[in-house]
Amino acid sequence: MSAGGSGVPPSILDRPIPRGKSEVSLSAFSFLMSSVIHYFQERVDDVLELEKSLENLGFGIGVRFLELCSFRDRHSKRELKLLSMLQFVSSTLWRTLFGKAADSLEKSVDHDDEYMISEKDSLINRYISVPRDMGTINCAAFMVGIIRGVFVSASFPCEVSAHYVATEGEKLPRTVYLMKFSREVIECDSV
């Protein structure tokens, strides 16, 4: 096939990036997450170092995820408003990674620079068995890195943390990702 009738095939750079298979086996994902955690666990001394290693790994994935979305959909525009970017993360990012949107996106009542994304049953933490000596580990630190990577590469600098929150009537606690944006982001967004 020729590009523009010139008889020259289109460059590989001009071809769209295919979406590929959108589902990954849950057992394969669980095995990969378990292997990643085990890899870092052997190379760190405490829980905080392990969580930081998982976050750093996730950060690079978040940066690349935003680039991939931009390259796949050439008609998309760069989000300039914080709320639009938050909706992108809680819907598009979550759908791409987990096959469903996040359970909720909320703004903090106490602080205007804080937002929360929550999940009832976090896939990241679902099949993780924690050794007794690392009882306080939250493997959602990996997702913290992904979220932070997306926001930082989109020019919305923030700090992200993951917390377990117990809810009445639920056996397992919810995972809440708290995003605290820099003052500049909030000031630019209000203009």
Side-chain angles (χ1 to χ4, degrees):
M1 218 170 178
S2 63
S6 65
V8 178
S11 164
I12 194 166
L13 298 175
D14 294 329
R15 295 181 198 156
I17 298 174
R19 293 208 179 269
K21 188 176 178 184
S22 62
E23 291 185 16
V24 174
S25 163
L26 186 57
S27 58
F29 174 78
S30 299
F31 178 72
L32 179 63
M33 257 330 272
S34 169
S35 297
V36 166
I37 292 167
H38 182 71
Y39 172 83
F40 285 125
Q41 190 177 5
E42 291 179 343
R43 288 160 178 75
V44 298
D45 296 326
D46 62 6
V47 173
L48 291 176
E49 284 182 57
L50 178 57
E51 287 179 351
K52 192 64 182 169
S53 297
L54 290 170
E55 184 179 342
N56 290 338
L57 178 66
F59 183 84
I61 292 170
V63 169
R64 287 176 188 85
F65 176 81
L66 190 60
E67 289 175 5
L68 180 63
C69 285
S70 300
F71 289 131
R72 273 189 182 157
D73 188 6
R74 294 186 181 182
H75 302 293
S76 67
K77 60 181 175 74
R78 181 177 175 264
E79 298 295 347
L80 299 175
K81 292 291 187 183
L82 179 59
L83 188 56
S84 299
M85 195 64 197
L86 284 161
Q87 290 170 335
F88 170 81
V89 168
S90 67
S91 61
T92 304
L93 172 72
W94 244 259
R95 245 184 239 108
T96 302
L97 294 177
F98 305 118
K100 66 177 186 77
D103 293 327
S104 70
L105 169 64
E106 303 169 30
K107 183 175 182 173
S108 173
V109 178
D110 300 328
H111 304 283
D112 67 339
D113 61 345
E114 292 182 351
Y115 291 83
M116 295 162 277
I117 295 175
S118 65
E119 280 188 296
K120 289 181 184 171
D121 185 21
S122 174
L123 186 62
I124 299 289
N125 289 326
R126 186 182 301 169
Y127 299 106
I128 303 299
S129 56
V130 180
R132 292 184 196 270
D133 62 326
M134 295 198 159
T136 61
I137 188 169
N138 188 346
C139 295
F142 176 68
M143 194 63 202
V144 164
I146 293 175
I147 295 168
R148 196 169 67 81
V150 168
F151 279 116
V152 168
S153 64
S155 299
F156 292 98
C158 65
E159 291 300 318
V160 183
S161 57
H163 308 275
Y164 292 126
V165 176
T167 52
E168 286 186 43
E170 297 287 330
K171 182 180 175 185
L172 297 173
R174 297 173 69 87
T175 303
V176 176
Y177 301 95
L178 177 67
M179 295 152 290
K180 184 172 180 66
F181 291 91
S182 68
R183 190 54 43 205
E184 297 84 35
V185 171
I186 302 301
E187 289 170 1
C188 286
D189 196 55
S190 63
V191 172

PDB file of all heavy atoms in Angstrom, residues 41 47 129-137:
ATOM      1  N   GLN A  41      12.059  -7.053  48.370  1.00  0.00           N
ATOM      2  CA  GLN A  41      12.123  -7.446  49.785  1.00  0.00           C
ATOM      3  C   GLN A  41      13.506  -7.966  50.154  1.00  0.00           C
ATOM      4  O   GLN A  41      13.989  -7.730  51.256  1.00  0.00           O
ATOM      5  CB  GLN A  41      11.059  -8.509  50.054  1.00  0.00           C
ATOM      6  CG  GLN A  41      10.856  -8.828  51.495  1.00  0.00           C
ATOM      7  CD  GLN A  41       9.728  -9.832  51.687  1.00  0.00           C
ATOM      8  OE1 GLN A  41       9.170 -10.350  50.721  1.00  0.00           O
ATOM      9  NE2 GLN A  41       9.388 -10.083  52.928  1.00  0.00           N
ATOM     10  N   VAL A  47      10.418  -1.858  55.996  1.00  0.00           N
ATOM     11  CA  VAL A  47       9.165  -1.685  55.260  1.00  0.00           C
ATOM     12  C   VAL A  47       9.153  -0.388  54.457  1.00  0.00           C
ATOM     13  O   VAL A  47       8.698  -0.358  53.309  1.00  0.00           O
ATOM     14  CB  VAL A  47       7.966  -1.731  56.239  1.00  0.00           C
ATOM     15  CG1 VAL A  47       6.673  -1.392  55.538  1.00  0.00           C
ATOM     16  CG2 VAL A  47       7.873  -3.088  56.894  1.00  0.00           C
ATOM     17  N   SER A 129       0.417 -11.832  50.576  1.00  0.00           N
ATOM     18  CA  SER A 129       0.507 -12.291  51.959  1.00  0.00           C
ATOM     19  C   SER A 129       1.747 -11.637  52.561  1.00  0.00           C
ATOM     20  O   SER A 129       2.832 -11.711  52.008  1.00  0.00           O
ATOM     21  CB  SER A 129       0.604 -13.815  52.025  1.00  0.00           C
ATOM     22  OG  SER A 129       1.690 -14.273  51.267  1.00  0.00           O
ATOM     23  N   VAL A 130       1.555 -10.971  53.667  1.00  0.00           N
ATOM     24  CA  VAL A 130       2.611 -10.174  54.278  1.00  0.00           C
ATOM     25  C   VAL A 130       3.274 -10.963  55.399  1.00  0.00           C
ATOM     26  O   VAL A 130       2.598 -11.467  56.292  1.00  0.00           O
ATOM     27  CB  VAL A 130       2.030  -8.852  54.840  1.00  0.00           C
ATOM     28  CG1 VAL A 130       3.110  -8.019  55.486  1.00  0.00           C
ATOM     29  CG2 VAL A 130       1.330  -8.080  53.737  1.00  0.00           C
ATOM     30  N   PRO A 131       4.622 -11.088  55.364  1.00  0.00           N
ATOM     31  CA  PRO A 131       5.314 -11.757  56.464  1.00  0.00           C
ATOM     32  C   PRO A 131       5.129 -10.983  57.770  1.00  0.00           C
ATOM     33  O   PRO A 131       4.917  -9.777  57.768  1.00  0.00           O
ATOM     34  CB  PRO A 131       6.787 -11.723  56.035  1.00  0.00           C
ATOM     35  CG  PRO A 131       6.807 -11.319  54.614  1.00  0.00           C
ATOM     36  CD  PRO A 131       5.519 -10.644  54.313  1.00  0.00           C
ATOM     37  N   ARG A 132       5.218 -11.681  58.867  1.00  0.00           N
ATOM     38  CA  ARG A 132       5.004 -11.050  60.179  1.00  0.00           C
ATOM     39  C   ARG A 132       5.975  -9.896  60.443  1.00  0.00           C
ATOM     40  O   ARG A 132       5.595  -8.903  61.044  1.00  0.00           O
ATOM     41  CB  ARG A 132       5.131 -12.081  61.291  1.00  0.00           C
ATOM     42  CG  ARG A 132       4.016 -13.088  61.282  1.00  0.00           C
ATOM     43  CD  ARG A 132       4.158 -14.034  62.473  1.00  0.00           C
ATOM     44  NE  ARG A 132       3.345 -15.215  62.297  1.00  0.00           N
ATOM     45  CZ  ARG A 132       2.102 -15.317  62.704  1.00  0.00           C
ATOM     46  NH1 ARG A 132       1.533 -14.295  63.300  1.00  0.00           N
ATOM     47  NH2 ARG A 132       1.433 -16.436  62.515  1.00  0.00           N
ATOM     48  N   ASP A 133       7.217 -10.023  59.975  1.00  0.00           N
ATOM     49  CA  ASP A 133       8.188  -8.962  60.241  1.00  0.00           C
ATOM     50  C   ASP A 133       7.921  -7.710  59.403  1.00  0.00           C
ATOM     51  O   ASP A 133       8.491  -6.670  59.661  1.00  0.00           O
ATOM     52  CB  ASP A 133       9.616  -9.468  60.020  1.00  0.00           C
ATOM     53  CG  ASP A 133       9.875  -9.898  58.586  1.00  0.00           C
ATOM     54  OD1 ASP A 133       8.945 -10.414  57.938  1.00  0.00           O
ATOM     55  OD2 ASP A 133      11.022  -9.729  58.131  1.00  0.00           O
ATOM     56  N   MET A 134       7.049  -7.792  58.411  1.00  0.00           N
ATOM     57  CA  MET A 134       6.706  -6.632  57.587  1.00  0.00           C
ATOM     58  C   MET A 134       5.211  -6.381  57.647  1.00  0.00           C
ATOM     59  O   MET A 134       4.577  -6.055  56.643  1.00  0.00           O
ATOM     60  CB  MET A 134       7.156  -6.851  56.151  1.00  0.00           C
ATOM     61  CG  MET A 134       8.641  -6.945  55.988  1.00  0.00           C
ATOM     62  SD  MET A 134       9.087  -6.687  54.296  1.00  0.00           S
ATOM     63  CE  MET A 134      10.793  -6.232  54.489  1.00  0.00           C
ATOM     64  N   GLY A 135       4.634  -6.500  58.816  1.00  0.00           N
ATOM     65  CA  GLY A 135       3.197  -6.435  59.003  1.00  0.00           C
ATOM     66  C   GLY A 135       2.518  -5.154  58.576  1.00  0.00           C
ATOM     67  O   GLY A 135       1.324  -5.142  58.312  1.00  0.00           O
ATOM     68  N   THR A 136       3.213  -4.050  58.484  1.00  0.00           N
ATOM     69  CA  THR A 136       2.573  -2.780  58.149  1.00  0.00           C
ATOM     70  C   THR A 136       2.731  -2.396  56.684  1.00  0.00           C
ATOM     71  O   THR A 136       2.361  -1.287  56.308  1.00  0.00           O
ATOM     72  CB  THR A 136       3.171  -1.650  59.010  1.00  0.00           C
ATOM     73  OG1 THR A 136       4.569  -1.544  58.723  1.00  0.00           O
ATOM     74  CG2 THR A 136       2.939  -1.901  60.479  1.00  0.00           C
ATOM     75  N   ILE A 137       3.247  -3.279  55.862  1.00  0.00           N
ATOM     76  CA  ILE A 137       3.490  -2.918  54.469  1.00  0.00           C
ATOM     77  C   ILE A 137       2.190  -2.709  53.704  1.00  0.00           C
ATOM     78  O   ILE A 137       1.206  -3.406  53.910  1.00  0.00           O
ATOM     79  CB  ILE A 137       4.353  -3.977  53.748  1.00  0.00           C
ATOM     80  CG1 ILE A 137       4.744  -3.465  52.370  1.00  0.00           C
ATOM     81  CG2 ILE A 137       3.641  -5.293  53.662  1.00  0.00           C
ATOM     82  CD1 ILE A 137       5.783  -4.294  51.680  1.00  0.00           C
TER      83      ILE A 137
END
